[in-house]
Amino acid sequence: MKRTKVIDALKRTDFGSDITVMGWVRSKRGSKGIFFIALNDGSTIKNIQIVGEDQHFDEAMVKLITTGACIRVNGVLVESPAAGQASEVQAKEIEVLGACDSTYPMQKKGQSFEYMRQHAHMRLRTNTFGAVMRIRHNMAMAIHTYFHEHGFFYFHTPLITASDCEGAGNMFQVTTKNLYDLKKDENGQITYDDDFFGTQTALTVSGQLEGELGATALGQIYTFGPTFRAENSNTPRHLAEFWMIEPEMAFYDKQDLMDLEEDFIKYCVRWALDHCQDDLAFLNQMIDKTLIERLESVLKEDFVRLPYTEGIRILQEAIRNGRKFEFPCNWGDDLASEHERYLVEEHFKRPVIMTDYPKEIKAFYMKLNEDGKTMQGTDVLFPSIGEIIGGSVREESLDKLMAEIQRRQMDTTTLEWYLDTRRWGTCPHAGFGLGFERLILFVTGMQNIRDVIPFPRTPKNAAF
Ligand code: 4AD
Ligand code: MG
């Protein structure tokens, strides 16, 4: 008989009909010749209850129905006498598809996330990771839907690149050169003419530069793909491989950009509240009791729009009033996560879009303000996350952009194609990057970014 998914089985009301369900045993208990199985197949956080009478089943088979085992159940759908569930399955036949002995690492409840990370390949079968992964999927759907409905084109930028978008230099090199016998030139420098691409290449840190080419032709594009950063930051908010969404829009100014950032994030959060109710209810109960309240509050209020200079003033006033921070924050400093969170969580108590940063702490492509000191960046800072979006208006003037590139002593040989956007038919434009896992952190209430991606890549860890 055709399998019914648990999510559908729980909605069926044709009591008395035959039904087949398959899944993994969450738990089994028994009393007075009857056993009860909580079965989950990943389609929903909810389990379906299977009821069987010991006398109808082979004792050895019933013994194999342990936590983690995979089973197929043929039975009859019945109305459930138990509270909290409409239906259950009265088992007629049970087949153990995959037994699961006591060495199964996920069998105990309440294991630490750190323990589960060491078994990241099996943690997906737990309630928490099932909920997080279903929400992750839903957020991807929200993002594609939002941009599609707003006339953006999904634009695919390369993962292997010869240019360093953020200019931070923390890229993973890509090569087919023999690392055990590295060919060098007469000066002892590594050559690349004999490498696969004939030039030094790396995994991309951002698709923005290519995205700008898309936007200045198609009007509005977005990327959604993996991004790689070899930054050695072992924090709960950094991954070496993460997913980024980068919309880029022609004819947008700073105001348009901030409006889009806010509208887009709110749409995603609303989507989660509308489409992930069961998983959010579970996480709200088990992980973070203020989760749903926090999601709803983000929707209610306008984001604060705060120039960097004003942010520094607020932080320094807090310091004068006795607030202690680990890192300094004088004008010109890059804000640390503790500063961002102070502004968002303690001072304003709502999300902040910080703008107009000192040019020294931002990337070369941002539009310079008339003061000559600040750039039109527009980062979105979120409660419990800190920076969730990094964005900016782009410098569209070739002269100004070249001046900035020279000031930074950047090599333009791998950027000429980018500069062509400014040489021919340049236009005002802007864009931003949303860290997908940071959004998932916010929406799930999880604390560590390693726990919102199936197989995290972090310093000294590429397992699975
Ligand atoms: O602020 P970032 O570095 O901006 C850019 O890459 C721009 N090129 C984006 C653009 O304007 N198109 O990164 C954007 C976002 C951050 O705000 C953060 O949410 C996320 O990407 N991010 C990371 N997420 C996880 N792990 C890391 N190591 C991250 N680095 C950045
Ligand atoms: Mg940033």
Side-chain angles (χ1 to χ4, degrees), residues 254-271:
K254 192 172 81 183
Q255 190 65 39
D256 300 329
L257 178 63
M258 290 188 292
D259 289 347
L260 181 75
E261 289 176 345
E262 179 165 348
D263 189 56
F264 167 62
I265 295 213
K266 284 182 168 169
Y267 181 92
C268 294
V269 171
R270 194 173 302 115
W271 183 289

Side-chain angles (χ1 to χ4, degrees), residues 234-237 315 318-319 322-330 333-342 346:
N234 241 318
T235 80
R237 271 172 268 286
L315 286 162
I319 291 169
R323 181 69 162 79
K324 296 263 181 296
F325 294 106
E326 193 183 335
F327 298 100
C329 66
N330 298 306
D333 292 339
D334 209 353
L335 293 189
S337 165
E338 56 174 347
H339 304 130
E340 296 171 345
R341 293 185 61 173
Y342 171 81
E346 295 177 45

Side-chain angles (χ1 to χ4, degrees), residues 13-282:
T13 51
D14 54 332
F15 303 122
S17 304
D18 286 341
I19 185 167
T20 299
V21 289
M22 300 189 208
W24 294 270
V25 174
R26 283 284 196 261
S27 64
K28 188 183 80 177
R29 62 191 170 82
S31 75
K32 299 182 196 127
I34 299 179
F35 60 83
F36 302 90
I37 303 165
L39 193 69
N40 189 282
D41 67 357
S43 60
T44 162
I45 187 83
K46 292 181 177 162
N47 304 323
I48 192 154
Q49 174 155 285
I50 313 294
V51 188
E53 286 176 47
D54 284 326
Q55 54 173 358
H56 295 145
F57 296 93
D58 173 46
E59 203 183 319
M61 188 281 294
V62 174
K63 280 218 176 82
L64 287 176
I65 306 174
T66 53
T67 296
C70 183
I71 62 172
R72 180 202 347 249
V73 181
N74 296 330
V76 180
L77 187 74
V78 296
E79 207 163 352
S80 177
Q85 56 188 29
S87 56
E88 59 186 37
V89 174
Q90 203 95 57
K92 287 200 284 197
E93 291 163 0
I94 298 179
E95 185 187 349
V96 177
L97 301 174
C100 186
D101 68 18
S102 61
T103 57
Y104 176 53
M106 293 294 135
Q107 53 192 325
K108 285 202 214 79
K109 284 189 174 166
Q111 277 151 338
S112 74
F113 288 128
E114 182 52 42
Y115 170 86
M116 288 202 250
R117 264 168 236 144
Q118 284 152 24
H119 304 274
H121 56 312
M122 300 309 290
R123 65 181 181 168
L124 299 169
R125 290 201 203 155
T126 64
N127 286 332
T128 301
F129 285 88
V132 170
M133 292 307 141
R134 280 184 297 272
I135 291 174
R136 194 179 157 101
H137 159 80
N138 272 281
M139 287 297 91
M141 292 300 118
I143 289 161
H144 284 301
T145 307
Y146 180 88
F147 287 124
H148 181 66
E149 285 179 353
H150 288 76
F152 286 66
F153 301 108
Y154 183 22
F155 188 69
H156 297 109
T157 51
L159 298 189
I160 300 175
T161 173
S163 53
D164 180 357
C165 172
E166 292 305 296
N170 40 27
M171 302 179 87
F172 290 100
Q173 285 194 50
V174 174
T175 182
T176 52
K177 276 176 78 89
N178 181 355
L179 298 181
Y180 300 97
D181 183 16
L182 211 48
K183 193 178 149 210
K184 298 183 180 168
D185 65 13
E186 51 281 11
N187 304 320
Q189 297 289 318
I190 297 170
T191 58
Y192 288 98
D193 54 344
D194 59 326
D195 202 354
F196 189 91
F197 296 105
T199 181
Q200 189 175 12
T201 51
L203 295 176
T204 188
V205 295
S206 160
Q208 178 195 321
L209 301 189
E210 291 90 350
E212 287 186 48
L213 288 158
T216 55
L218 298 163
Q220 298 178 331
I221 61 92
Y222 71 104
T223 71
F224 189 163
T227 311
F228 308 87
R229 296 201 183 171
E231 47 195 347
N232 205 356
S233 19
N234 241 318
T235 80
R237 271 172 268 286
H238 288 87
L239 290 166
E241 177 180 304
F242 63 100
W243 287 65
M244 185 149 61
I245 296 94
E246 295 185 275
E248 191 73 31
M249 298 73 62
F251 317 118
Y252 262 50
D253 65 13
K254 192 172 81 183
Q255 190 65 39
D256 300 329
L257 178 63
M258 290 188 292
D259 289 347
L260 181 75
E261 289 176 345
E262 179 165 348
D263 189 56
F264 167 62
I265 295 213
K266 284 182 168 169
Y267 181 92
C268 294
V269 171
R270 194 173 302 115
W271 183 289
L273 287 166
D274 290 347
H275 293 79
C276 309
Q277 284 155 351
D278 292 342
D279 288 322
L280 285 179
F282 171 81

Side-chain angles (χ1 to χ4, degrees), residues 166 229 334 340 362 365-366 379 387 389-391 433 438:
E166 292 305 296
R229 296 201 183 171
D334 209 353
E340 296 171 345
K362 287 292 180 190
Y365 50 71
M366 294 192 185
D379 288 2
E387 180 189 329
I389 277 182
R438 300 226 180 141

